[in-house]
Amino acid sequence: MARTREFDTEAAVSRAMELFWTRGYEATSVRDLTQRLGIGQGSLYAAFGGKDGLYQAALERYRATFAAAALRNLEEGAGARSAIRSLLVERIRIAVEQGGRGCLLVNAATERLPEDQPTRRTVQDVLGANQDALTDLLRAAAERGEISTRHDPSALAAFLVTFLNGLLVSAKITPDAHTLEPLVEVALTALD
């Protein structure tokens, strides 16, 4: 007879997400995970199939929380410039926390790609959703005359996503929001 799971998998994924986010995939051992989660190795494998499965679950948790919140905030913004500024500044704030841990998805891309295809798909999906949302926002703003029409909204959105990814890497090198936030104003000149 199969034993019932004796731990909260949602809480375990959240704790694992924090550990992977802070330490990275390679620097996090199965032992680190079992200690942080307070479960045995057998339970980890039974619930997640191993470290890789737990890592994918952690990336999905990040996507469902932090990445989803960024998209919601973008959609709820008053004007394009203000919404994009808020998005970029908030991402800086999150990235510089805890000594500059950056963004879990950008960290995953720089650490695990090109070999890890499940991670590639997750990162591509999130970046694609960000770019699509920005494209829609920029297209509508251009139609209202709020921003310049000299750039194609898709290209401008791709630029902003690329800028954000670079900004998130920079946050790991220089975890200082006061140093990084002025760069947002420079990027926003692309809307002029």
Side-chain angles (χ1 to χ4, degrees), residues 102-125:
C103 165
L104 180 58
L105 292 172
V106 172
N107 296 350
T110 58
E111 182 180 18
R112 303 290 299 155
L113 301 185
E115 290 84 15
D116 183 343
Q117 292 306 308
T119 296
R120 177 186 298 275
R121 282 189 297 278
T122 300
V123 171
Q124 284 176 329
D125 288 350

Side-chain angles (χ1 to χ4, degrees), residues 80-99:
R81 189 177 306 272
S82 174
I84 294 168
R85 179 182 290 112
S86 294
L87 168 77
L88 296 173
V89 169
E90 177 64 10
R91 301 311 296 161
I92 289 170
R93 186 194 63 73
I94 292 169
V96 300
E97 288 177 349
Q98 298 186 23

Side-chain angles (χ1 to χ4, degrees), residues 6 15 57 63 68-69 140 149 160 174 188 190:
E6 296 178 8
R15 287 192 296 275
R63 172 191 202 163
T149 57
L160 289 169
T174 307
L188 290 174

Side-chain angles (χ1 to χ4, degrees), residues 92 95-97 99-100 170-182:
I92 289 170
V96 300
E97 288 177 349
S170 294
K172 292 180 71 68
I173 300 163
T174 307
D176 177 22
H178 297 294
T179 300
L180 299 172
E181 285 177 11

Side-chain angles (χ1 to χ4, degrees), residues 100-180:
R101 65 182 177 170
C103 165
L104 180 58
L105 292 172
V106 172
N107 296 350
T110 58
E111 182 180 18
R112 303 290 299 155
L113 301 185
E115 290 84 15
D116 183 343
Q117 292 306 308
T119 296
R120 177 186 298 275
R121 282 189 297 278
T122 300
V123 171
Q124 284 176 329
D125 288 350
V126 171
L127 295 183
N130 290 344
Q131 188 167 328
D132 290 346
L134 281 166
T135 298
D136 292 345
L137 177 75
L138 293 165
R139 185 170 287 119
E143 289 169 1
R144 290 190 307 268
E146 184 184 330
I147 65 169
S148 170
T149 57
R150 69 185 175 111
H151 297 296
D152 173 66
S154 295
L156 190 51
F159 162 74
L160 289 169
V161 169
T162 302
F163 170 75
L164 175 58
N165 291 333
L167 197 59
L168 295 171
V169 171
S170 294
K172 292 180 71 68
I173 300 163
T174 307
D176 177 22
H178 297 294
T179 300
L180 299 172

